[in-house]
Amino acid sequence: NPGISEKGELLAARISMGVALAVATDLGLNPPGFAAQTVALAFGLAASSIFPALMMGIFSKNINNSGAVAGMLVGLTTTLVYIFLHKGWFF
């Protein structure tokens, strides 16, 4: 609001700070399990996509870009299929 007074701006800031504090307090007292699950799934997807390229790079002298990308896509696809089959589409 471009025409807000300093008093109104201060009031809006205090109200928004109070709401943010209430939400943070509620989430701190009742932590959602969803956040931990999402982080675990993200790390699983990252590991499944980098692991094939890492192992092929260490143990194979004939690896090229196409093979590394193919291995990463297979690992990522396999993990996504597993997640969607066992956790469901909306986790």
Side-chain angles (χ1 to χ4, degrees):
N1 187 2
I4 193 169
S5 67
E6 286 186 22
K7 210 174 195 182
E9 189 176 354
L10 186 60
L11 178 64
R14 286 180 178 167
I15 290 172
S16 63
M17 185 178 61
V19 170
L21 185 63
V23 169
T25 302
D26 183 49
L27 290 176
L29 293 174
N30 304 314
F34 180 73
Q37 292 170 353
T38 304
V39 169
L41 291 176
F43 275 106
L45 287 173
S48 69
S49 64
I50 196 67
F51 185 76
L54 185 67
M55 288 295 110
M56 288 187 290
I58 291 172
F59 294 112
S60 175
K61 293 182 181 185
N62 298 325
I63 189 66
N64 58 13
N65 291 343
S66 301
V69 170
M72 292 173 76
L73 289 176
V74 168
L76 183 66
T77 304
T78 304
T79 304
L80 279 175
V81 168
Y82 172 78
I83 288 171
F84 288 140
L85 286 177
H86 293 283
K87 290 287 187 182
W89 288 99
F90 300 108
F91 308 124

